[in-house]
Amino acid sequence: STRGTVGILYTELVLVVAASVRFPRSIQNAENVFGWPMATFSAAPALCEKALAKAAADKQPVVVVGNGPAALEAACLALESGAPVHWLRTGERDVPAIEPQIMGAALRYLGENLTVTGLASLAPDQLRRVMSDDGSLLTGISLPDGTTAPCSCCCWTAPVMAVHPILREEGVT
């Protein structure tokens, strides 16, 4: 209008914004690391499916990093491929928790090809990553007990970062 702008006050406002998985710098270009959920893949979904099929054929482990429903979904997808899966359940904040009854049932259903390591005290960025000599592949993740979780393919589910200019505004949380 010609009279200027009028501020509108909201008690609650819900925005639907794009979100993407935030990778640690050291694995951003790794060929065998895929963001999950699938909508945020930086690579084509076919590349992830091919990597999972290769891991299954070679009986090599797939590592899932994260916590919550997205990580459970990624673990299920990897198990469906036939590959052994090592799920590193990290402790991100602001991730919807999986109800204990649902988690227990899921773990019983998913069976012996799934290993779960609880790392609730660690954020995903705190995990030490082991890269190939040329830096193109993630070959493992060092665990706090000194062992390494070997990795032929990795589904990185967290943290997810919403990207929208209004989120930078003062007072918007």
Side-chain angles (χ1 to χ4, degrees):
S1 115
T2 57
R3 294 182 283 174
T5 60
V6 176
I8 300 174
L9 298 177
Y10 293 93
T11 55
E12 288 186 37
L13 174 66
V14 176
L15 295 173
V16 177
V17 297
S20 62
V21 175
R22 184 171 53 90
F23 294 104
R25 281 190 214 284
S26 63
I27 62 170
Q28 284 179 349
N29 296 319
E31 298 169 11
N32 62 337
V33 178
F34 301 93
W36 192 266
M38 199 172 249
T40 62
F41 270 151
S42 56
L47 292 178
C48 181
E49 291 169 8
K50 185 177 178 182
L52 290 174
K54 181 173 180 0
D58 296 344
K59 301 290 184 219
Q60 294 297 311
V62 172
V63 171
V64 174
V65 176
N67 193 10
L72 179 59
E73 182 183 31
C76 289
L77 175 77
L79 284 165
E80 286 173 9
S81 74
V85 176
H86 192 161
W87 180 5
L88 304 178
R89 290 192 70 200
T90 53
E92 313 96 71
R93 293 175 305 232
D94 304 326
V95 173
I98 300 172
E99 294 292 329
Q101 299 88 344
I102 294 172
M103 185 58 148
L107 292 177
R108 285 188 299 279
Y109 173 76
L110 295 173
E112 59 197 44
N113 266 350
L114 175 67
T115 303
V116 179
T117 301
L119 301 170
S121 64
L122 293 177
D125 290 349
Q126 294 174 305
L127 295 173
R128 199 170 130 265
R129 291 147 311 266
V130 180
M131 302 299 290
S132 61
D133 290 338
D134 65 359
S136 66
L137 298 172
L138 178 66
T139 59
I141 296 179
S142 295
L143 302 176
D145 66 4
T147 62
T148 298
C151 173
S152 63
C153 175
C154 178
C155 294
W156 196 274
T157 69
V160 173
M161 185 164 136
V163 182
H164 192 281
I166 198 167
L167 297 176
R168 291 188 213 112
E169 296 293 322
E170 185 179 331
V172 176
T173 59

